[in-house]
Amino acid sequence: MSEERVIAGTDTGRLLVFESGDLRWEMNVTSKSSHEVDSSHRQETEASVEQPVLPPSMPRVTAITPYSKGFVCSAGPGTVFLFEKTEEKDSYRKTREIKIPPDVYSIEPSQAQLQEITTLCISPSEEGLSACTDQGQLYSITLASAEISKSELAHFEFLSQPFHSKAITGLSVCIRKPLIATCSLDHSVRIWNYEDNVLELYKEFQEEAYSVALHPSGLFILVGFTDKLRLMNLLIDDIRTFKELTVRGCRECAFSHGGHMFAAANGNVIHIYSTTTFDNLLNLKGHNGKVRAVVWSADDSRLVSCGMDGAVYEWNTLTSKRESESVLKSCSYNSVAISSDGKNVFAVGTDNTLKEIQGCQVMREMGAEDMMYTAVTMTRSGRTIFTGTSTGTIRAIKYPIPTQKEWTEYQAHSSAITKMLITFDDQFLLTVSQDGCLFVWKIIDKEGRGLKRDKDVSYAEEILITKSDLEEKNQIMTELKTRVEELKMENEYQLRLKDMNYNDKIKELSEKFIHEIEALKTKNQVLKTDMEKQYLSHHEVLAEVNEKFAKEQQDFESTSNQKLMLEYEKYHELQLKSQRMQEDYEQQLQAMEHSKFEALEELTLSYEAKQQDKQLALTQCQEEACQQLREFEEAKKQIEEDGDHEIQSIRIRYEKMLRDERETNQCLKGETGIMKKKFSSLQREIDDRRSEINKHKMELQKQQGVIRSLEKDIHTLKKEIEERDETIQDKEKRIFELKKKNQELEKFKYVLDYKIKELKKQIEPRENDIQEMKQQIQEMETELDKFHKKNTQLELSSNEMKLKLKATDKELHKELRRAKDLESLVLRFKREVHHCVNFIQEPNKLKESIRELHERFVQQSDVGGIVGVDADIEREYSRQREHLERNVASLKKKLAKDGDVHRAEHNKIMMENVSLIREINDLRRELRMLRSQLHDYECQVVTYKRGKPKSLTDSKSRTSFDSAAGCLIPRLNLDEESERIIQMQSKEIQQLRQEIQSQSLALRPPTNSTKLPALAT
C-alpha cells in the first residue's frame, strides 16, 4: 500500500494490515452472502441426500493488489472482494463481491467457479480488473460497471477466450479454411481461427483426447480418444460425432492431402481408412514400438512414420510395402517431417540430434547440445527447418543443414513442445506445449518481410448445419417474424392510444397553465401597487430618521467638548500635587534611614546576647536527642523482631497457598494440553472430512456423468435387445421351416442310400480309371517341379536385373547431383563474368579479373584427375561385375551337378534301405516259425511225461530231453544271433535316415519366397 503500510492475507481467510511493524487492522473475508449461499446449498443437499454435511472450509487469500480507493483481494475459489477506506484512520470496508461465472460449454459448469485465483492486476487508469486462475484462464471486469451494479452480484468475463488448462496433445490445420484444431488432457477439443485470433468452436467430452486431425476442407475432424476414434462434423455451433472406429488410445492420426484417406496409429500398427466408405484399406505392420508420428507426402502416394523402437519407415500407400527404412535402436524418435518434393525425411528423437534421411541412409546430422528435440517441421518452400525442444524453445535452421551448429533460437513455451505445424501458405508457424499454450508465429525473412505466397489464397466460407437444426432455425425465424409483425401491430396500436391520451393531457395542461398565468398576472399587479405604497412610506420614515440623527450628533459634539475642557483642568491640578508629594517623600526617606541605622545597632547587641543563650539551650537539646535516639533504636529493634515474626508466618501461609495454586495450575496445564491435542486432532479430522466431502462431491459429480452415459448406453442396449428379439423371432420361424425341409430331406436320404448302393457297384471300374489318372498326375507333378526350377532361375535373373537397375538409378542420381552442381557453378561463373564486364573499359582490371576467374574456376589438374578417376572407377566396376557374373554362373553349374550327384546317392540309399527292410521281414517270419516249433516240442514233452511210469519216464525223458535239447540249443542260439543282427540293422537304418534327412535339407531347392543374397556393387 505504501512504504510503511503492508496488507497480508492468510490461508484461513484473514486480512491483516501492518504499519511500521504494528498490527493496525484485522478482518475475516467471509461474507454474509457467501454464508447464505452455503447455507442454502447445504439445505438443498440435506433435502436431496439425507446425510450430515460439515461446514465449508475457510477461504484462502491467494492474491492482493492495491488501488487508489483501497485494495482488491481473492477470497476463496472464484471470488474477489473490493475493499475501500473508511473515514476512520486504519479501517477498510468491503464494498463489492465479484465471482467467476459457470462455464456453459463444460460438462460440469460449476467446476469453473472452483478455480483458485493466483494473480490480480488493475489497469493504470483503474478502469479494469484482470484475474488469472490456477487453470490458466484470464478473466476481466470493468470496475465502473461493478460499482454501478452494487446491489447485484458482479461476474467476471473472459479476457479474450477460454484456454486449455492442461497439456495439449494434438494439433492440426486445414487447407480451405484458416482453422487450427487442438485437443488436450482437459477433455476438450477447440477450433481456433489464426487470422482473426478467435476461438470459433469449443466442446468438452467425457474422455481424454490424445490426437486430432482436420480434414483439408475444414468441415470434418478426426479425434482419438481412450476408447474409440471418432469422425465428427464441424457444425455452425457444435462438434457432432457421425462415425466411430474401434481404435483404442489413438495417439497419432492424419488426413491425406486429398482428404480421401486417413491414417490412425494403433500401438505399433498403422491403419489406413477410406474417408468415404470407412473401410480399412491397409494395415502397415513393421514397428516394434509405439508409433509417435505419421506424415503424408504431397501426392499421398507415400507415408512416413517413426516410433519408439528407433525406426523411420517410408510406406507405399498403394501396395502397403516399405520403400525405405532407417533403424537406430539406441534412439526413440519423437517427430518426423518430409520435404515438399518427398525425397528427404527429417527426424528428431532422444539422442538430441536432427537427422536428414534419404533412402535408407542418414545424410546429415546436427546435435542439439544439452537439450532434446521434441518436434520438427519444414516449410513448403524448403528453405527452413523449425525444431521444438524439451525446454520450450524454437530453433530455425537453414536448409541445406550446415556442417556447423548454426541456428536462430526463440524462447516460447515454459515446458516441452509437443507438436509443430506450418500453415499451407507458409505464413504462420503453430506450436503447442505441455504448458497448455498455443503460439501462432508469423514467418518473416531477415528484412522483416513476410514470405511471398505462390497464389492468393481465398478461404472457403461454407459451414455445415444439420437438416433438423436448419428446419428448427427456419421455424424459429418464421415464428419470430410473425411475432415481430404482431409486435409491430401492437406497438402501432399502443402508440395511437398513447398519442390520443397525450393529446388529451396536453389540452388539459395547456388550459390549466393559461388559467394559472392569468391568476399570476393579477397577483403581480396587486404586488406592484403594494410595493409602490410601501416605497413611499419608507421614504418618509427615512427622512425623519435622518433629521433626528443630525440633531443628536450636534448635541453630542457640544457635550463632549465641555467634558474635555474639565478633564484637562483636573489633569493640571493633579500634576502639581504629584510634585509636592515627591518632595515630601524624599525628606521622610532621609529621616527613616537615620532611625533605621540606630535601631540596627541596638538589635545586633540584643541578638548577640540571645545567641549565647540559645547555644546553651542547644547543647541541652542535643543531649536529650541522644537519649531519645537510643530509646528509638530499642523500640525499632522490638518492632523489627515483631515484624519478622509476622512476615515469616505470612510467608509460610502464602507459600502453602502458592504450592496449591501451582499444583492446580499444572493440572490445568495438562488438561489444556490434552484439550489442545484433542482440538488439533478434531481440527485435522474436520479438515480430512472436508477434503473427503469435497472428493466425494467430485466423485458424485463424475459418477452422475457416468450414470448419464450408462443410462444412454442402457437405452441403446434396450433398443438393440428389442431388435434382437425381433431377429430371434424371425430365426425361430426360419428354424421351423428348416425342420420341415429336414424331414423332407430325410425321405430323400432313404431314396439316395438305395441309389448309393447301386452306384458303389458301378465304382469299381471307375477306380481303375482313377489310378490311371493318378499316374498322369504324378507325371504332371514332375513337369511342375521342372517348371518351378525354371521359375527360380528366372527369379534369380530378375533379381540380378533389379540390382542392375538400382545401380543405374544410383548412377542417375549421382549424375543429376553433378548436373545441379554444374548448374550452380555455371550461375556463379555467369555472375563473375557479369562482374568482369563492368571493367570492359579498363583492360588491366579486366585482365586481372579474368585471371582470377581462371584461377578460381579452371583447374586443369583437378579436372583431369577427376575425369581419369571416373574412367578408372567405371572400368574397375565393369571388371568386378563381369567377374562376379562369371562366378555366379559357375556356382550355378556346380549346384546343378551336386544336386544330380546327391539325387543319385539318395536313390541308392533308398534302394539299400528297401532291401534291408525285406531281409528284416524275412528274419522276423523265420523267428516266428522257430518260436512255434519250440512251443510244439514243449507240449509233446509234457504229454509224454504224463503217459509213461516214473522209471521209464525218467530214463526216456532224459534221453528225449537230451535229444530235444541237443536239437533246440543251436536253434536258440540262432534266435539270439538273429535278434542281435536285427537290432544292429535297425540302428544302421536310423543313422541312414538321419543322414538322408540332413542331405535332403541341404539339397532342397530354393522356394519362391527365398532369395539369393544381393550382389555387393
Side-chain angles (χ1 to χ4, degrees):
M1 299 294 287
S2 64
E3 291 182 356
E4 296 180 351
R5 178 166 289 190
V6 176
I7 294 179
T10 66
D11 57 353
T12 58
R14 292 169 61 222
L15 287 170
L16 308 171
V17 178
F18 296 92
E19 190 167 357
S20 300
D22 298 328
L23 180 64
R24 295 298 178 90
W25 181 73
E26 184 177 356
M27 185 182 177
N28 203 327
V29 296
T30 53
S31 60
K32 291 180 182 177
S33 62
S34 64
H35 283 305
E36 289 171 2
V37 170
D38 293 334
S39 63
S40 64
H41 179 67
R42 206 181 306 133
Q43 288 173 2
E44 289 174 3
T45 53
E46 284 174 0
S48 61
V49 181
E50 294 180 356
Q51 288 181 355
V53 179
L54 293 171
S57 59
M58 298 297 287
R60 295 193 308 129
V61 180
T62 54
I64 302 175
T65 185
Y67 72 113
S68 60
K69 293 181 181 179
F71 64 91
V72 185
C73 74
S74 65
T79 308
V80 172
F81 288 148
L82 293 176
F83 286 87
E84 291 184 0
K85 292 178 184 176
T86 59
E87 294 178 356
E88 297 178 9
K89 186 178 180 183
D90 295 323
S91 65
Y92 294 88
R93 177 171 55 89
K94 185 165 66 180
T95 59
R96 198 80 190 98
E97 183 178 358
I98 308 167
K99 283 188 171 287
I100 293 173
D103 191 357
V104 182
Y105 297 100
S106 177
I107 298 168
E108 298 175 353
S110 61
Q111 287 296 318
Q113 295 176 309
L114 300 175
Q115 297 180 83
E116 201 74 50
I117 293 168
T118 55
T119 52
L120 291 167
C121 182
I122 293 177
S123 61
S125 59
E126 295 187 353
E127 292 179 355
L129 171 66
S130 299
C132 178
T133 67
D134 58 347
Q135 293 185 8
Q137 305 298 327
L138 291 173
Y139 294 93
S140 69
I141 190 171
T142 54
L143 293 174
S145 65
E147 288 177 358
I148 289 164
S149 60
K150 281 189 177 179
S151 60
E152 300 174 0
L153 184 68
H155 288 286
F156 280 105
E157 294 177 353
F158 281 108
L159 187 64
S160 56
Q161 57 263 335
F163 303 116
H164 286 290
S165 59
K166 290 184 181 179
I168 298 172
T169 55
L171 174 69
S172 182
V173 293
C174 64
I175 301 171
R176 295 285 293 129
K177 291 185 179 182
L179 298 180
I180 307 168
T182 57
C183 65
S184 172
L185 297 178
D186 60 1
H187 302 250
S188 69
V189 175
R190 299 167 198 255
I191 308 297
W192 313 80
N193 191 318
Y194 59 80
E195 283 204 336
D196 302 333
N197 297 325
V198 175
L199 179 66
E200 292 205 344
L201 279 175
Y202 159 46
K203 189 171 182 180
E204 280 196 10
F205 297 89
Q206 292 286 346
E207 303 89 6
E208 291 180 348
Y210 294 130
S211 59
V212 69
L214 267 176
H215 193 268
S217 63
L219 300 175
F220 312 105
I221 189 170
L222 189 68
V223 185
F225 294 97
T226 52
D227 56 347
K228 288 182 182 178
L229 178 68
R230 292 184 174 90
L231 189 60
M232 297 184 274
N233 285 323
L234 292 178
L235 303 178
I236 188 169
D237 56 355
D238 193 14
I239 303 172
R240 200 169 296 172
T241 306
F242 71 89
K243 183 66 180 176
E244 290 184 348
L245 302 168
T246 56
V247 179
R248 293 181 178 274
C250 180
R251 298 278 177 176
E252 284 296 326
C253 59
F255 275 102
S256 62
H257 292 89
H260 60 291
M261 293 186 292
F262 62 87
N266 185 4
N268 57 358
V269 181
I270 301 167
H271 303 290
I272 295 178
Y273 293 90
S274 172
T275 310
T276 52
T277 61
F278 309 114
D279 293 333
N280 189 358
L281 302 176
L282 298 171
N283 291 322
L284 308 179
K285 297 178 182 179
H287 283 282
N288 294 324
K290 288 184 179 180
V291 178
R292 295 297 298 273
V294 173
V295 182
W296 291 85
S297 62
D299 57 356
D300 295 337
S301 64
R302 287 179 296 162
L303 185 91
V304 179
S305 65
C306 70
M308 296 177 72
D309 56 352
V312 177
Y313 293 143
E314 189 175 351
W315 310 86
N316 190 322
T317 55
L318 299 174
T319 61
S320 75
K321 290 183 179 179
R322 277 186 284 187
E323 291 194 350
S324 65
E325 60 182 36
S326 175
V327 181
L328 184 64
K329 291 184 178 179
S330 62
C331 173
S332 176
Y333 286 110
N334 296 321
S335 179
V336 69
I338 190 168
S339 59
S340 56
D341 57 0
K343 292 180 180 178
N344 299 329
V345 176
F346 304 95
V348 293
T350 55
D351 60 349
N352 301 347
T353 57
L354 167 66
K355 297 179 181 63
E356 181 184 357
I357 301 166
Q358 189 173 9
C360 298
Q361 295 179 349
V362 177
M363 303 299 291
R364 295 184 187 85
E365 286 188 4
M366 177 179 276
E369 293 181 350
D370 56 348
M371 62 183 68
M372 184 174 70
Y373 287 130
T374 56
V376 64
T377 187
M378 187 179 190
T379 57
R380 280 163 182 76
S381 61
R383 296 179 185 174
T384 312
I385 301 167
F386 293 98
T387 59
T389 65
S390 58
T391 59
T393 58
I394 294 168
R395 290 180 177 178
I397 303 166
K398 290 182 181 179
Y399 186 76
I401 297 170
T403 54
Q404 296 179 351
K405 294 180 181 180
E406 293 180 4
W407 57 69
T408 307
E409 194 168 57
Y410 303 94
Q411 184 63 45
H413 299 274
S414 61
S415 58
I417 292 169
T418 54
K419 298 284 180 184
M420 292 180 78
L421 280 178
I422 293 174
T423 56
F424 285 89
D425 55 357
D426 270 0
Q427 296 297 311
F428 298 100
L429 170 67
L430 314 172
T431 60
V432 294
S433 172
Q434 290 179 3
D435 59 5
C437 292
L438 164 65
F439 277 63
V440 180
W441 304 77
K442 178 74 175 174
I443 300 172
I444 56 173
D445 55 11
K446 288 182 178 179
E447 297 175 358
R449 294 175 298 183
L451 299 177
K452 291 181 180 179
R453 299 185 183 183
D454 296 334
K455 295 177 183 179
D456 292 330
V457 179
S458 59
Y459 292 116
E461 295 182 355
E462 296 86 2
I463 53 171
L464 285 181
I465 186 167
T466 59
K467 190 178 180 181
S468 59
D469 292 342
L470 187 64
E471 287 173 355
E472 284 178 7
K473 288 187 177 178
N474 289 329
Q475 190 176 354
I476 291 162
M477 281 176 72
T478 53
E479 288 175 359
L480 288 169
K481 281 179 182 177
T482 54
R483 183 66 181 157
V484 165
E485 289 174 357
E486 289 173 1
L487 287 168
K488 279 182 180 178
M489 296 290 287
E490 287 179 5
N491 285 328
E492 287 176 358
Y493 179 68
Q494 292 291 333
L495 284 168
R496 285 173 188 171
L497 287 173
K498 284 180 180 179
D499 287 335
M500 299 276 287
N501 292 325
Y502 284 138
N503 289 325
D504 294 334
K505 285 180 181 179
I506 286 163
K507 285 178 182 178
E508 290 175 0
L509 288 169
S510 60
E511 289 175 357
K512 281 181 183 179
F513 282 126
I514 288 163
H515 289 301
E516 287 177 359
I517 287 162
E518 289 176 354
L520 288 168
K521 282 181 180 178
T522 55
K523 281 182 182 179
N524 197 6
Q525 287 178 357
V526 171
L527 289 168
K528 278 183 180 178
T529 55
D530 291 337
M531 191 184 75
E532 287 176 355
K533 288 177 182 178
Q534 286 178 2
Y535 181 74
L536 291 170
S537 63
H538 282 298
H539 191 67
E540 290 175 355
V541 169
L542 205 148
E544 290 174 357
V545 169
N546 286 330
E547 287 178 358
K548 283 180 181 179
F549 181 72
K551 288 178 181 179
E552 287 176 357
Q553 190 176 7
Q554 288 177 1
D555 293 337
F556 183 73
E557 283 179 355
S558 62
T559 54
S560 62
N561 287 325
Q562 288 174 2
K563 285 178 181 178
L564 277 168
M565 292 296 290
L566 290 169
E567 290 292 329
Y568 184 72
E569 288 175 356
K570 284 180 181 179
Y571 174 73
H572 188 64
E573 289 175 357
L574 288 167
Q575 196 172 9
L576 291 169
K577 281 182 181 179
S578 66
Q579 286 178 358
R580 290 172 190 167
M581 288 286 285
Q582 192 173 2
E583 290 174 357
D584 293 334
Y585 279 120
E586 285 178 355
Q587 290 174 2
Q588 286 177 3
L589 276 168
Q590 288 176 359
M592 288 291 284
E593 284 179 356
H594 185 67
S595 62
K596 280 181 181 178
F597 184 72
E598 290 177 353
L600 231 166
E601 287 179 350
E602 291 175 356
L603 282 166
T604 50
L605 292 169
S606 63
Y607 275 114
E608 285 176 355
K610 286 179 180 179
Q611 189 178 6
Q612 289 176 357
D613 296 332
K614 292 285 181 184
Q615 282 179 351
L616 292 169
L618 209 154
T619 53
Q620 292 176 358
C621 288
Q622 283 178 351
E623 290 174 355
E624 291 175 358
C626 289
Q627 290 177 356
Q628 288 177 356
L629 273 169
R630 288 174 196 146
E631 292 173 357
F632 176 74
E633 283 176 356
E634 289 176 357
K636 186 180 176 184
K637 285 179 182 177
Q638 290 176 357
I639 290 161
E640 283 177 353
E641 288 174 356
D642 295 335
D644 290 334
H645 288 297
E646 288 177 0
I647 286 161
Q648 283 178 357
S649 62
I650 290 161
R651 185 183 290 166
I652 291 160
R653 191 171 69 246
Y654 278 110
E655 281 177 354
K656 288 179 181 178
M657 290 171 71
L658 223 163
R659 284 174 200 150
D660 297 334
E661 290 293 328
R662 280 177 181 169
E663 288 174 358
T664 53
N665 197 4
Q666 286 177 356
C667 295
L668 290 169
K669 278 182 181 178
E671 288 176 0
T672 52
I674 293 160
M675 292 299 288
K676 280 180 182 177
K677 288 178 182 176
K678 286 182 180 178
F679 180 75
S680 62
S681 63
L682 288 168
Q683 192 70 31
R684 285 173 197 156
E685 287 177 2
I686 289 161
D687 294 333
D688 295 334
R689 291 287 174 84
R690 284 174 183 165
S691 61
E692 285 176 3
I693 286 160
N694 291 326
K695 287 178 183 176
H696 286 306
K697 284 179 182 177
M698 296 287 286
E699 288 177 359
L700 198 142
Q701 289 175 356
K702 288 179 181 177
Q703 291 295 329
Q704 284 175 354
V706 173
I707 287 160
R708 290 188 202 117
S709 62
L710 289 170
E711 284 175 354
K712 289 177 184 176
D713 294 336
I714 288 160
H715 185 65
T716 53
L717 287 167
K718 281 180 180 177
K719 286 182 180 178
E720 287 180 2
I721 288 160
E722 289 173 359
E723 291 173 357
R724 286 182 181 179
D725 289 334
E726 291 174 359
T727 54
I728 287 160
Q729 289 174 1
D730 295 333
K731 285 180 179 179
E732 284 177 352
K733 290 176 183 177
R734 181 72 177 161
I735 287 160
F736 183 70
E737 291 172 357
L738 288 167
K739 281 181 180 177
K740 286 181 179 178
K741 288 181 180 179
N742 196 4
Q743 289 174 359
E744 292 175 357
L745 289 167
E746 282 178 354
K747 292 176 184 176
F748 283 116
K749 185 183 175 184
Y750 180 74
V751 175
L752 290 168
D753 286 334
Y754 180 72
K755 288 181 179 179
I756 287 161
K757 287 176 182 177
E758 290 179 352
L759 289 167
K760 279 181 179 177
K761 293 175 182 177
Q762 298 174 4
I763 284 168
E764 291 177 357
R766 291 190 180 181
E767 282 181 352
N768 296 323
D769 296 333
I770 287 161
Q771 287 178 357
E772 291 176 359
M773 295 296 286
K774 280 181 179 178
Q775 289 176 358
Q776 289 178 2
I777 287 160
Q778 286 177 357
E779 291 173 359
M780 295 290 285
E781 281 180 353
T782 53
E783 289 178 0
L784 201 143
D785 289 331
K786 291 177 183 178
F787 283 123
H788 276 307
K789 290 172 185 177
K790 289 180 181 178
N791 196 2
T792 52
Q793 289 176 359
L794 290 168
E795 281 184 356
L796 289 167
S797 61
S798 67
N799 288 327
E800 288 174 4
M801 295 302 290
K802 282 179 183 177
L803 289 166
K804 290 177 183 179
L805 200 143
K806 283 183 181 178
T808 51
D809 283 334
K810 286 181 181 179
E811 288 175 3
L812 196 142
H813 285 303
K814 286 179 183 178
E815 292 297 327
L816 287 170
R817 283 181 190 167
R818 193 179 294 164
K820 284 182 182 177
D821 295 335
L822 288 169
E823 283 176 3
S824 61
L825 194 139
V826 167
L827 286 169
R828 284 167 56 200
F829 187 73
K830 282 180 180 178
R831 289 189 199 124
E832 295 293 334
V833 168
H834 183 70
H835 183 67
C836 291
V837 168
N838 294 327
F839 304 113
I840 201 161
Q841 299 294 331
E842 299 175 0
N844 292 326
K845 287 184 178 179
L846 184 65
K847 189 176 180 181
E848 289 176 359
S849 61
I850 288 164
R851 190 178 292 158
E852 288 175 0
L853 266 176
H854 185 270
E855 289 173 356
R856 193 178 299 167
F857 291 101
V858 181
Q859 295 179 2
Q860 292 295 330
S861 61
D862 293 343
V863 173
I866 289 160
V867 172
V869 167
D870 289 340
D872 293 337
I873 288 164
E874 284 178 357
R875 284 194 216 95
E876 184 65 25
Y877 175 76
S878 61
R879 190 176 63 76
Q880 286 182 0
R881 190 168 179 178
E882 288 172 359
H883 177 68
L884 289 168
E885 284 174 354
R886 285 195 212 100
N887 287 334
V888 167
S890 63
L891 286 167
K892 282 180 183 177
K893 289 176 183 176
K894 282 182 183 179
L895 197 142
K897 287 178 182 177
D898 291 337
D900 294 333
V901 170
H902 284 295
R903 279 194 202 94
E905 289 177 357
H906 180 69
N907 291 326
K908 284 180 184 178
I909 290 160
M910 287 295 289
M911 293 298 288
E912 287 173 0
N913 195 2
V914 169
S915 63
L916 287 167
I917 288 162
R918 283 175 187 163
E919 288 176 2
I920 288 161
N921 290 327
D922 294 334
L923 289 166
R924 280 177 181 170
R925 284 188 202 119
E926 289 177 0
L927 200 145
R928 282 175 198 155
M929 290 290 290
L930 289 166
R931 280 178 182 170
S932 62
Q933 286 176 6
L934 195 143
H935 183 68
D936 293 335
Y937 284 126
E938 284 176 354
C939 290
Q940 286 175 6
V941 169
V942 171
T943 53
Y944 186 79
K945 282 180 181 179
R946 285 176 185 174
K948 298 287 182 181
K950 290 183 179 178
S951 62
L952 292 169
T953 53
D954 292 334
S955 62
K956 288 181 180 179
S957 63
R958 283 173 187 169
T959 55
S960 64
F961 183 76
D962 293 331
S963 62
C967 66
L968 282 172
I969 285 161
R971 287 183 182 177
L972 290 168
N973 292 328
L974 287 169
D975 291 338
E976 289 174 359
E977 287 176 1
S978 63
E979 284 178 359
R980 286 174 192 169
I981 290 161
I982 288 161
Q983 287 176 1
M984 292 291 289
Q985 286 176 351
S986 62
K987 287 178 181 179
E988 287 178 1
I989 289 160
Q990 286 179 358
Q991 289 175 0
L992 288 167
R993 280 178 181 170
Q994 289 176 359
E995 288 177 3
I996 288 158
Q997 286 177 359
S998 62
Q999 287 175 2
S1000 63
L1001 288 169
L1003 294 169
R1004 187 177 290 169
T1007 59
N1008 295 329
S1009 60
T1010 57
K1011 296 179 182 179
L1012 288 171
L1015 293 170
T1017 56

